[in-house]
Amino acid sequence: LLFLYYARMFLMVKIQKNQGMTYVEIIVVLGIFSVMSAIVMFNYGEFQAKVDIKNLASDIALKIVEAQKSALSGNLPPGALSDWKPSYGVHFYPTFGSGSDNKHFIYFSNLNNDQAYGPDDGLPETISIGKGNYISGIYKCEVGSSCSQIASSLSIVFTRPDSSAVFSDISITGSKYVQITVQSPRNANAIIKIYPSGRIQVN
């Protein structure tokens, strides 16, 4: 009986000591939780920005591939003449200077076969870039060498039966290529490389 008495007293003291958390303990726990939540949210934002910018680069690359496939398959858009040579492209505005627009690009059918986008071309589809992302630069590059920014607008055109890419107003041959860089407000970036052979690469 004496053992049971002391055991009961011990449990009562222990229960009294563990009735709850003090205000200081609650504040410390909430502070730790807030810091951990802030770290998690910041890292998630960075991760989401990288995902979004990779998706944007892939969307641009897929639109260029669509132009290539439309030309090779011989799709005839409304307004095309009987002797029209299937030709499709994607047009980008310069990323700086007068008339620049780094939030849009255009998919079009090159009806007059001049290998550049113009007012007479058909099926112009303007694609908007959302989520604060933008095209930060368009460059002429060479493997193993530095890149130079393209100040003028750029059309990338494909004409049947050739799968190679033609670039308006610039000469891209051999190991040279065009690089389009896209960027997010959080400074995440991705690049699309378009080679004269028609190969398209997303990094």
Side-chain angles (χ1 to χ4, degrees):
L1 290 173
L2 188 62
F3 172 76
L4 291 174
Y5 172 77
Y6 281 116
R8 184 183 176 193
M9 291 298 294
F10 175 77
L11 288 173
M12 288 179 65
V13 170
K14 192 171 183 180
I15 290 171
Q16 287 176 354
K17 287 184 178 179
N18 294 290
Q19 284 182 345
M21 299 175 66
T22 65
Y23 287 118
V24 174
E25 290 172 328
I26 292 174
I27 291 171
V28 170
V29 170
L30 289 176
I32 294 172
F33 179 76
S34 299
V35 170
M36 291 179 66
S37 298
I39 293 172
V40 170
M41 291 301 293
F42 177 80
N43 288 337
Y44 175 77
E46 292 287 327
F47 171 76
Q48 189 61 50
K50 290 179 181 178
V51 170
D52 288 342
I53 209 67
K54 284 290 185 183
N55 287 341
L56 172 58
S58 296
D59 289 344
I60 293 174
L62 286 172
K63 211 63 185 176
I64 297 172
V65 170
E66 182 182 338
Q68 187 181 45
K69 288 183 176 180
S70 293
L72 290 175
S73 62
N75 288 345
L76 295 176
L81 300 175
S82 58
D83 60 345
W84 180 68
K85 203 172 186 180
S87 182
Y88 290 81
V90 179
H91 178 78
F92 299 92
Y93 297 98
T95 55
F96 61 90
S98 177
S100 63
D101 182 357
N102 59 6
K103 291 279 192 178
H104 303 87
F105 61 97
I106 296 175
Y107 174 84
F108 66 99
S109 58
N110 189 209
L111 291 180
N112 58 7
N113 288 120
D114 63 352
Q115 298 179 331
Y117 174 70
D120 297 330
D121 287 318
L123 295 177
E125 176 190 354
T126 301
I127 297 97
S128 299
I129 299 172
K131 297 187 177 182
N133 300 324
Y134 58 95
I135 298 172
S136 60
I138 304 174
Y139 305 90
K140 176 181 178 180
C141 304
E142 186 168 1
V143 176
S145 183
S146 59
C147 299
S148 58
Q149 190 155 15
I150 297 171
S152 60
S153 59
L154 174 71
S155 295
I156 303 170
V157 181
F158 300 91
T159 304
R160 189 182 185 186
D162 198 348
S163 62
S164 61
V166 176
F167 306 93
S168 62
D169 300 325
I170 56 173
S171 175
I172 304 289
T173 57
S175 61
K176 296 178 182 178
Y177 61 91
V178 164
Q179 175 178 301
I180 300 169
T181 304
V182 291
Q183 191 163 336
S184 78
R186 289 179 174 265
N187 292 324
N189 60 67
I191 61 175
I192 307 104
K193 295 179 180 179
I194 306 99
Y195 293 86
S197 63
R199 181 165 69 94
I200 299 149
Q201 177 181 335
V202 176
N203 292 340

